[in-house]
Amino acid sequence: MTKRLVLTFVICLSAISLYRGVTPLKAQAPVSFSKDIQPILEQNCWGCHGPSMQSSRLNLSTLEGALRGGARGAAIVPGQAEDSRLYRMISGLDTPAMPLGGPKLSDEQIGAIKTWIDQGAHWDTGAVGAKTGPAPASSFAALQNAKLPPGARDYWAFKLPVQAPVPTVAREFSNPIDRFLEKVREEKGLKAAPRADRMTLLRRAYMDLIGLPPSPEEIDAFMKDTAPGAWERLIDKLLASPHYGERWGRHWLDAARYADSSGYENDTDQPNMWRYRDYVINAFNDDKPYNTFIKEQIAGDEIPNRTDDSLIATGFLRAGPRVRNHEHANPARRYDYLDDVIGTIGKSMLGLTVQCARCHDHKFDPILQKDYYAMEASIFGYVEVEYPLGPREQADAYMRKMRDISAKVAALKDQIDEIDKPYHDKLALEEIRKKYPPNVVSAVEKPESERTPGEKLIAIQVLESGSSNRTAAAVEKIMSPEDAAKKKALNDQIAALNAEKPPTPPLASIVTDGDWRSAELGYGDRNEGACPKCELEYVGAGKFLELGPGKGNYKVPPSYFLIRGDPDSKAYPTKPGFISVITTGNPPTELPPADGRTSGRRLALAEWLISHDNPLPARVIVNRIWEHHFGKGIVPTLDNFGKMGEQPSNQELLDWLAVEFMNKGWSIKQMQRLIMTSEAYQMASEYNDEASAKIDPEDTYLWRYRIQRLEGEVIRDNILSVAGSIDLKMGGPAIFPHVDDSFIKTLFRGIYRNPQQDGPDQWRRSIYIYQKRTLPNPLLQVFDLPDMSQSFGARYTSTVPTQALQLMNDNFVLNQARLFADRVKKEAGDDIAKQIDLAYRIALTRSPTERELSLAKDMIQSSSLVDFTNVMLNLSEFVYTR
């Protein structure tokens, strides 16, 4: 709320004495709005909150305006007068009392309004403003009892997938995928491409599964393996590689909107988020069942037998952009974070744009606004905390020590504030006298006990507005020597206490239940351990360090349906729930753990997500896997299976795969084996059947393999790999590749530890690059690195001149080209033909053609080997898979 709005609210609303006794109308007598209530509002309220003026954005002349409320929230809660701001202010239960400056309402008038609200706040159709909305039995009944439109569940995505019989087709296929695809090809008159050559398939498999090229030795080993099952053995080898998780974990991090910094203007460091990145990599390497993967990320702190890993997994919920500040100081920001979480769950796991129902029912899909707020209630209690890893005894001791030190430091800081206050006030008053008119100055100078309600708010707003003139240096300049000595002594005590802080143990950024209204959330630019104001702080798997009352009896703070998504316009309290159109029966909305430390709401949400009765999560992940192998999903819009998304090109196949995926234990690797052993995956890309191209120019029905551009991370990793300089160390804190100093100068806050130049310490795989939201790596960005502030299913693929310029002129690429040349010369000797053949095998997984060999010889002889290796890194074939 802006200062101007708050000031307007105070000045325009009227004060009355505290309400002591109200005589309500008889409960049995219905109150007519037009006869009994409208005249009261029109005479006493509409001057400031009516058709011509809406002080504090509150309009009491229409039903919509009264329900929406003003800058301080909803004016009425139908059926609950005691919770309605209108009643509480006219009765004097809340301040400032109303009407301000006018006569107090009579007890009969107050009683009439109370009874009217308790009876449901009926708004007669004949009343002024009634045209803005009908009057239900309860004004929020329409929202609370909203039903799905007829036929809502008839849409394909909202029905459970059914595993249809595998089709019978003319050609013989051993893989069910091929039979589903061939059925459609036969119907469309399409002719499938022949199988690609073995070297092409070898590179394709390496790029798809580990994102690194095969070495010459690995090429030779595969080409010599002519026994049956060679292709299947290669797939199993690559799926077992530790680098598989680095490749496929990156896909999920796109969906999870992962970054190492907080985003927004300050973009502060999140020093422990890398543990979530490593969790994702390890989960893919271990082939963690996808349903377990979902459950841990949504409710890893609530599952039975929780572990450090399952707690770290909850970093998914907090991976989005945050202003690292105290959420309880700006509640509106809290709702934006909840929207981010709901939107990410919707897009990444459900393939739905659930966040579109924050302000109204979804415009295209049958997602009710009440469903949105039911999901919000399911996650509403979450808070973001830092969790100490390691032996529990050490973690407990650390948290106890930090709590004690923090409490003592807080008390000393309170004493310093008391010393500073009169000097701050003196500077403030001098400034106010210069800046503000006499009536404002008079309000500020009056003793607080003598101020009118309006003057009190004026004084608060002006005094809290802050100023650059009220700095610590300015205060110390006018402080008396006696007070300065006291302040120094207190600061010395704080310094001594800080010196007693134990070494910080390894920490993980996790989510658990707490009270966000009082908890300090996240680090910001500080690392001060436990927060004395927090209701709860996590210190171990299955154990909390309690910093407040409520042992084992956690209660979720109340959440509300928000009119038009406005945090200041609360309608009615909400209960946890799910998306109605894809929910069957009455699944539990809370599964509280036995220890009562959390609500169990997120665990219930996770169980609903992974239920076989939920038609979407299995479809969505199978479609993502398909897209990453074929370049286009069966549903091309990976994160939108709704009516505004594209329709599936082969729904029978998608549903068959989704059911198969669930029946085979939600194994991603098993699904990849099935896909990669299909003849469809092994088709050639360099194939042009004129008839097929005319019928299906976009290759929608997969009659040939799609050429795909590699992601920026894989291009950089391949450059390092072919140069022989890549460091394959896995996991741990992020690396900071060198960027031009001009980029660093644009940073406002946060960190980027820019080395003087690139070196071996920065030559690790790109998944380990520090993901700074306001400073994406230039090489990755030019090759379409997604916005790290939102969930992405599929990356955009652009073709722009800056990509070629980056590869030709970037110092990193030029340096790696020199190292590539050194490697080629060292391994092939001085024979130019051998150098060229080796360079092609290393970079492109094939030998050169006669023409390529001739052109390369001419280039090396007329220029240099380094120029040739630089050209190799710039070939389209190097940045694409065929």
Side-chain angles (χ1 to χ4, degrees):
M1 189 189 319
T2 65
K3 300 181 185 72
R4 180 171 294 178
L5 284 173
V6 172
L7 192 56
T8 303
F9 184 74
V10 172
I11 292 172
C12 294
L13 295 181
S14 51
I16 63 171
S17 60
L18 188 65
Y19 170 64
R20 291 287 183 258
V22 171
T23 305
L25 296 185
K26 292 181 181 179
Q28 295 83 357
V31 178
S32 164
F33 174 78
S34 58
K35 179 181 176 182
D36 301 319
I37 304 303
Q38 182 174 321
I40 302 173
L41 299 181
E42 188 170 3
Q43 182 176 353
N44 298 279
C45 306
W46 285 9
C48 296
H49 306 290
S52 60
M53 181 177 182
Q54 289 91 46
S55 179
S56 287
R57 305 200 301 269
L58 176 60
N59 183 359
L60 292 175
S61 68
T62 68
L63 173 63
E64 182 182 15
L67 295 182
R68 183 174 63 249
R72 297 182 65 185
I76 58 174
V77 180
Q80 301 177 57
E82 293 290 342
D83 294 331
S84 298
R85 190 176 297 276
L86 173 62
Y87 166 70
R88 295 186 67 82
M89 297 182 99
I90 63 172
S91 64
L93 293 174
D94 285 350
T95 58
M98 301 295 153
L100 186 71
K104 175 185 180 296
L105 296 186
S106 69
D107 290 350
E108 289 75 14
Q109 289 174 319
I110 295 171
I113 290 175
K114 181 179 188 301
T115 304
W116 172 68
I117 295 174
D118 283 336
Q119 290 180 352
H122 296 201
W123 197 283
D124 303 349
T125 55
V128 173
K131 60 184 179 182
T132 61
S138 166
S139 297
F140 292 121
L143 298 174
Q144 289 176 293
N145 302 319
K147 303 295 183 184
L148 292 171
R153 290 190 171 95
D154 293 343
Y155 184 66
W156 74 269
F158 304 145
K159 298 177 182 178
L160 289 174
V162 176
Q163 195 167 42
V166 178
T168 300
V169 292
R171 283 181 60 186
E172 287 191 12
F173 293 101
S174 60
N175 191 306
I177 290 174
D178 293 309
R179 291 166 65 179
F180 278 103
L181 291 172
E182 185 65 14
K183 175 189 174 185
V184 176
R185 293 192 203 109
E186 288 178 352
E187 292 170 352
K188 303 288 183 181
L190 302 171
K191 182 180 179 183
R195 181 172 298 189
D197 66 84
R198 294 193 80 201
M199 280 198 175
T200 296
L201 291 176
L202 177 66
R203 185 170 191 269
R204 185 183 295 175
Y206 268 78
M207 291 299 106
D208 271 10
L209 291 181
I210 66 172
L212 295 170
S215 67
E217 294 76 19
E218 288 170 323
I219 295 172
D220 291 341
F222 178 69
M223 296 305 290
K224 290 176 182 177
D225 184 1
T226 57
W231 177 244
E232 289 77 7
R233 285 190 293 276
L234 173 69
I235 293 170
D236 287 340
K237 170 190 168 184
L238 294 176
L239 289 173
S241 167
H243 304 303
Y244 164 83
E246 294 171 323
R247 175 71 167 119
W248 278 77
R250 181 62 260 182
H251 294 318
W252 183 256
L253 293 178
D254 283 359
R257 80 275 190 237
Y258 171 82
D260 294 297
S261 66
S262 64
Y264 296 109
E265 183 181 19
N266 289 338
D267 203 23
T268 52
D269 183 33
Q270 300 188 100
N272 304 310
M273 279 303 295
W274 61 267
R275 297 187 194 280
Y276 172 71
R277 174 246 292 155
D278 284 359
Y279 161 82
V280 171
I281 292 171
N282 293 332
F284 276 93
N285 276 336
D286 296 341
D287 198 21
K288 188 184 289 285
Y290 183 67
N291 55 348
T292 302
F293 186 58
I294 287 181
K295 187 187 293 188
E296 289 182 345
Q297 291 179 92
I298 301 297
D301 61 316
E302 296 194 306
I303 61 176
N305 303 315
R306 49 186 174 254
T307 64
D308 281 1
D309 261 5
S310 72
L311 293 169
I312 291 169
T314 63
F316 168 84
L317 296 173
R318 61 179 293 180
R322 301 286 188 270
V323 176
R324 289 301 170 195
N325 200 342
H326 305 313
E327 262 179 48
H328 53 278
N330 187 348
R333 191 174 290 147
R334 167 72 174 183
Y335 290 96
D336 290 339
Y337 299 164
L338 290 164
D339 186 66
D340 161 70
V341 174
I342 292 169
T344 301
I345 292 172
K347 292 172 71 175
S348 66
M349 297 176 181
L350 293 169
L352 293 175
T353 53
V354 182
Q355 73 275 18
C356 293
R358 176 180 179 178
C359 303
H360 46 69
D361 289 347
H362 199 292
K363 293 295 185 183
F364 305 105
D365 298 327
I367 303 173
L368 305 173
Q369 192 179 9
K370 74 171 187 178
D371 291 346
Y372 175 95
Y373 286 104
M375 280 194 71
E376 185 184 89
S378 296
I379 62 173
F380 196 77
Y382 94 92
V383 295
E384 301 174 1
V385 296
E386 305 305 308
Y387 158 74
L389 303 170
R392 293 280 43 89
E393 296 79 8
Q394 294 179 19
D396 290 347
Y398 167 78
M399 295 299 286
R400 283 194 297 270
K401 182 70 172 176
M402 290 300 298
R403 178 184 61 175
D404 292 343
I405 290 173
S406 296
K408 291 175 182 177
V409 168
L412 292 171
K413 287 182 176 180
D414 287 342
Q415 295 181 49
I416 291 174
D417 289 343
E418 290 178 11
I419 294 172
D420 285 346
K421 187 178 186 306
Y423 299 102
H424 274 290
D425 291 347
K426 181 179 179 181
L427 290 171
L429 194 55
E430 290 175 357
E431 182 184 11
I432 289 166
R433 285 170 176 158
K434 294 176 182 177
K435 288 177 62 176
Y436 293 97
N439 63 319
V440 174
V441 175
S442 174
V444 173
E445 289 181 336
K446 275 186 183 181
E448 187 172 353
S449 60
E450 297 178 13
R451 293 172 185 155
T452 67
E455 288 174 333
K456 286 179 182 178
L457 254 163
I458 290 172
I460 290 170
Q461 291 299 318
V462 171
L463 289 171
E464 290 185 353
S465 62
S467 169
S468 59
N469 295 330
R470 303 178 215 169
T471 62
V475 168
E476 290 175 7
K477 190 174 180 180
I478 64 171
M479 186 175 287
S480 71
E482 195 173 73
D483 283 343
K486 290 180 184 177
K487 183 175 178 179
K488 182 180 183 305
L490 292 169
N491 277 321
D492 289 344
Q493 291 181 58
I494 291 173
L497 284 168
N498 285 333
E500 295 178 14
K501 287 182 178 180
T504 304
L507 297 170
S509 298
I510 71 157
V511 157
T512 188
D513 278 353
D515 192 338
W516 64 271
R517 298 168 299 182
S518 61
E520 291 197 11
L521 308 175
Y523 264 118
D525 292 315
R526 304 183 303 146
N527 185 351
E528 296 182 359
C531 159
K533 296 179 182 178
C534 299
E535 181 175 344
L536 298 171
E537 183 84 314
Y538 231 176
V539 296
K543 186 174 181 181
F544 288 94
L545 175 65
E546 297 187 9
L547 304 181
K551 296 184 178 182
N553 191 27
Y554 172 73
K555 299 295 183 185
V556 181
S559 57
Y560 295 90
F561 187 107
L562 304 182
I563 303 295
R564 292 186 177 176
D566 182 358
D568 290 326
S569 298
K570 296 179 176 66
Y572 60 85
T574 53
K575 295 179 180 180
F578 314 120
I579 307 300
S580 301
V581 74
I582 53 173
T583 301
T584 55
N586 294 292
T589 57
E590 292 186 1
L591 294 169
D595 59 16
R597 300 297 184 182
T598 60
S599 67
R601 290 183 178 186
R602 281 180 289 109
L603 182 56
L605 173 63
E607 293 290 357
W608 171 77
L609 284 168
I610 61 178
S611 168
H612 283 243
D613 291 329
N614 192 323
L616 285 172
R619 277 180 175 137
V620 169
I621 188 60
V622 164
N623 191 60
R624 286 178 187 272
I625 296 169
W626 186 274
E627 193 272 346
H628 293 312
H629 281 299
F630 289 108
K632 186 177 183 180
I634 298 173
V635 177
T637 48
L638 268 60
D639 46 19
N640 190 356
F641 277 43
K643 294 180 180 179
M644 295 304 290
E646 294 188 47
Q647 296 297 298
S649 58
N650 195 324
Q651 187 191 332
E652 272 195 346
L653 172 58
L654 177 63
D655 286 359
W656 191 93
L657 291 172
V659 175
E660 184 76 1
F661 179 66
M662 291 186 284
N663 290 344
K664 293 296 175 67
W666 300 74
S667 167
I668 289 177
K669 287 186 178 182
Q670 187 277 336
M671 181 55 56
Q672 290 177 289
R673 286 189 190 95
L674 181 64
I675 289 173
M676 295 181 69
T677 53
S678 69
E679 292 192 27
Y681 181 80
Q682 299 172 68
M683 286 190 298
S685 60
E686 295 180 359
Y687 168 74
N688 188 27
D689 178 74
E690 290 187 7
S692 297
K694 186 174 182 180
I695 296 168
D696 182 21
E698 299 295 326
D699 196 18
T700 299
Y701 303 105
L702 207 59
W703 52 275
R704 64 181 172 190
Y705 187 81
R706 300 183 185 99
I707 296 174
Q708 299 173 56
R709 219 273 315 282
L710 297 172
E711 303 96 320
E713 292 93 334
V714 180
I715 293 171
R716 179 180 176 274
D717 293 349
N718 273 248
I719 290 172
L720 289 168
S721 183
V722 301
S725 59
I726 193 168
D727 178 357
L728 293 175
K729 173 188 172 184
M730 295 183 63
I735 58 171
F736 294 81
H738 175 77
V739 297
D740 191 271
D741 286 340
S742 61
F743 292 108
I744 302 300
K745 292 176 182 177
T746 66
L747 301 182
F748 175 62
R749 289 270 182 88
I751 67 164
Y752 192 86
R753 303 185 182 104
N754 198 32
Q756 290 298 313
Q757 58 184 13
D758 248 5
D761 289 343
Q762 289 79 45
W763 294 343
R764 296 178 62 200
R765 293 203 70 173
S766 301
I767 194 171
Y768 301 114
I769 290 176
Y770 187 82
Q771 299 291 312
K772 188 170 181 64
R773 285 188 162 100
T774 56
L775 182 60
N777 181 272
L779 178 60
L780 306 189
Q781 186 178 33
V782 79
F783 283 101
D784 306 303
L785 181 73
D787 180 355
M788 292 172 273
S789 294
Q790 56 182 304
S791 175
F792 266 80
R795 294 189 179 190
Y796 301 120
T797 301
S798 66
T799 303
V800 293
T802 46
Q803 293 166 349
L805 294 171
Q806 188 87 15
L807 288 177
M808 285 191 293
N809 302 308
D810 184 76
N811 286 331
F812 164 76
V813 180
L814 294 173
N815 187 32
Q816 296 302 317
R818 285 189 287 271
L819 294 174
F820 185 16
D822 292 343
R823 176 188 178 184
V824 167
K825 189 173 180 66
K826 179 181 178 181
E827 296 181 18
D830 294 328
D831 186 316
I832 292 179
K834 289 183 179 179
Q835 290 175 349
I836 295 168
D837 183 72
L838 180 60
Y840 265 83
R841 284 165 60 81
I842 291 172
L844 305 180
T845 318
R846 66 175 179 85
S847 295
T849 64
E850 288 296 325
R851 175 168 171 74
E852 288 169 336
L853 180 63
S854 175
L855 290 171
K857 280 183 178 179
D858 291 344
M859 181 176 192
I860 294 172
Q861 290 169 343
S862 63
S863 185
S864 68
L865 180 59
V866 173
D867 286 339
F868 166 67
T869 53
N870 189 22
V871 167
M872 291 295 293
L873 301 183
N874 278 268
L875 292 175
S876 291
E877 191 175 344
F878 183 74
V879 297
Y880 280 83
T881 53
R882 298 182 295 115

